[in-house]
Amino acid sequence: MYDICLYKFFLNDVLVANFNHFITRAFLSTNASARASRKSSSRVNNKAVQKAVSELFNFLQLYSARLDAQQKKLNLPILPTTTIGSLPQIIELKRVLREYKAKKISEEDYVSAIKEEINKVVKLQEELDIDVLVHGEPENGAFRSQEL
């Protein structure tokens, strides 16, 4: 028992000596100064960055709430399918657009052709079991370079 007590005292003396050697008042003072400097540093405490981070967290909370509301209303799968961007215009629709621009057909005929194309595109997406339907932007002839 006596040996164990001596060993503990010896170990304690070694730890205290090493601690005192490395942790001096100067070290503690330098550390405290560094911590105080960091608290007031504009490099660390940038108000613009703090505001941006705050807005980001606010956005994430709003996004989460919106996602929950969409899920309740739309009941979509975790990875819903959809199309992105404009769908290619068919040749017939390009002809209708050319004729409309050349004043060969009325606006009513042009709008009717657009609506008919939208109905076809939506029906096709329903047949393909697409989760989020789009109208395909058939009225936007500026982006078309592909033909079906």
Side-chain angles (χ1 to χ4, degrees):
M1 178 81 166
Y2 179 75
D3 291 342
I4 293 174
C5 288
L6 284 179
Y7 178 72
K8 285 185 176 181
F9 282 120
F10 170 76
L11 192 58
N12 187 42
D13 286 346
V14 169
L15 290 174
V16 168
N18 283 325
F19 181 80
N20 288 333
H21 176 70
F22 289 110
I23 308 297
T24 64
R25 289 195 186 276
F27 174 81
L28 293 174
S29 177
T30 303
N31 182 271
S33 296
R35 290 177 58 215
S37 173
R38 183 173 174 84
K39 283 183 180 179
S40 62
S41 170
S42 62
R43 293 177 62 200
V44 175
N45 298 295
N46 185 323
K47 296 293 180 191
V49 171
Q50 290 174 352
K51 182 180 179 197
V53 169
S54 174
E55 289 172 357
L56 175 64
F57 282 112
N58 188 34
F59 168 79
L60 293 174
Q61 289 173 343
L62 293 174
Y63 175 78
S64 178
R66 187 181 78 207
L67 191 61
D68 290 343
Q70 286 176 342
Q71 184 58 32
K72 286 177 186 171
K73 183 171 184 166
L74 302 175
N75 195 28
L76 293 172
I78 294 173
L79 296 172
T81 56
T82 189
T83 59
I84 298 175
S86 303
L87 297 176
Q89 267 186 353
I90 60 172
I91 295 171
E92 176 63 21
L93 201 54
K94 287 183 174 191
R95 181 192 59 75
V96 169
L97 180 60
R98 271 193 317 273
E99 289 180 359
Y100 174 66
K101 286 183 176 182
K103 309 270 189 225
K104 292 182 180 179
I105 64 170
S106 69
E107 184 175 349
E108 286 178 10
D109 290 339
Y110 173 69
V111 170
S112 176
I114 293 291
K115 287 182 178 180
E116 184 179 328
E117 181 62 19
I118 290 170
N119 289 335
K120 287 179 186 177
V121 167
V122 168
K123 184 177 180 189
L124 175 63
Q125 292 173 86
E126 289 173 339
E127 290 171 1
L128 294 171
D129 202 25
I130 302 289
D131 297 312
V132 180
L133 308 180
V134 299
H135 83 303
E137 299 180 330
E139 73 286 357
N140 190 353
F143 299 108
R144 305 297 186 263
S145 62
Q146 300 171 336
E147 294 182 4
L148 290 179

